[in-house]
Amino acid sequence: MTLYHGSKKIIERPSTDMIHYACGFGQGFYLTPDEERAKEYAVSIGQDGYVSTYNVDLDKYDVLDLTSDEYSPLNWAALLASNRSIDAFSIEALSAKRYLIDNYTPQGSYDVVVGCRCDGVYTRVATDFINGKLSYRALQRMINVGETQYAIISEEVLDDLQFVGAEFVSSAANYPKKDFNHCKKLDGYNKRLNAASRDGDEYIGDIMKEER
């Protein structure tokens, strides 16, 4: 399959050491199957960038695919809470965060993680869910419309990435699209967050009570 990485420089030989901060799926090299999204990731205000393109066969590796029916949004939220700083604003939220991490963090070793991209908006999604402000239904809908990312966790897979080439990306041409899409995503989330609850909506506290 073909995957893309947007950044301020061309990366011919990627390494997990290039990622030093706490990413949603752990330390790794993050890619997208969407070339247009990669162009947006590559730029910032006044800063041009590049999209590096790779081919790789993932069939021979252990892939944790959070988009499959085997996993739920709770697994996604648990993995995110394990790897990023998720604020808990009450004792109940601290308990909810620990509950998710202890009961829903995917177990075992894997080389690649596939799932909804954990950007700033989606970190807020997880935070609001853990703090009891977002229903499980709304969490599920947000993940369903999110962007898919691939996190390469193992050096073995990184060594197997075949660098195809790189394309220059203009900030002037692509940053306005990036900013527009971010604002659109944030606006859509705020509407879901502020929408009236429906009959049958469950929150993290309800899920914890049901499973005890």
Side-chain angles (χ1 to χ4, degrees):
M1 72 179 304
T2 301
L3 295 170
Y4 307 91
H5 179 83
S7 65
K8 62 182 180 181
K9 61 182 180 180
I10 297 172
I11 302 177
E12 294 188 29
R13 297 183 63 83
S15 167
T16 54
D17 292 338
M18 293 177 176
I19 308 297
H20 297 291
Y21 53 89
C23 293
F25 297 155
Q27 183 170 324
F29 187 65
Y30 284 68
L31 304 110
T32 173
D34 188 333
E35 185 177 9
E36 291 304 309
R37 288 298 187 193
K39 292 179 181 179
E40 295 178 16
Y41 305 157
V43 299
S44 56
I45 297 178
Q47 175 68 63
D48 299 326
Y50 297 88
V51 169
S52 299
T53 303
Y54 311 89
N55 287 333
V56 64
D57 179 7
L58 297 180
D59 290 340
K60 56 186 176 181
Y61 296 108
D62 292 322
V63 178
L64 173 62
D65 187 357
L66 295 173
T67 67
S68 72
D69 293 337
E70 184 180 352
Y71 298 99
S72 78
L74 298 179
N75 299 116
W76 175 87
L79 193 58
L80 185 58
S82 298
N83 290 295
R84 295 197 78 161
S85 178
I86 302 295
D87 292 325
F89 300 114
S90 66
I91 296 299
E92 292 78 12
L94 281 171
S95 298
K97 181 178 178 180
R98 177 48 53 191
Y99 171 80
L100 284 173
I101 292 173
D102 289 347
N103 293 279
Y104 285 95
T105 301
Q107 301 300 306
S109 61
Y110 34 82
D111 302 306
V112 181
V113 182
V114 183
C116 179
R117 182 171 183 258
C118 308
D119 61 8
V121 172
Y122 277 83
T123 298
R124 182 182 164 196
V125 168
T127 299
D128 287 341
F129 177 70
I130 287 171
N131 281 276
K133 296 172 62 179
L134 187 72
S135 70
Y136 179 77
R137 176 184 60 82
L139 172 68
Q140 191 169 37
R141 290 194 65 181
M142 283 300 298
I143 290 177
N144 287 343
V145 300
E147 303 157 18
T148 300
Q149 68 179 2
Y150 285 68
I152 308 299
I153 305 300
S154 77
E155 293 285 352
E156 184 180 359
V157 182
L158 285 176
D159 290 340
D160 204 20
L161 282 180
Q162 299 174 11
F163 178 73
V164 177
E167 177 185 355
F168 173 79
V169 182
S170 164
S171 174
N174 289 276
Y175 185 79
K177 291 187 289 186
K178 176 180 182 176
D179 189 48
F180 173 80
N181 286 329
H182 172 77
C183 291
K184 181 179 178 181
K185 178 166 52 177
L186 183 59
D187 182 62
Y189 174 60
N190 285 331
K191 288 179 180 177
R192 284 193 173 96
L193 180 64
N194 296 320
S197 297
R198 298 181 183 178
D199 289 342
D201 271 353
E202 289 188 312
Y203 293 79
I204 183 61
D206 302 317
I207 295 171
M208 293 169 65
K209 289 177 183 177
E210 290 177 359
E211 296 189 359
R212 283 175 177 166

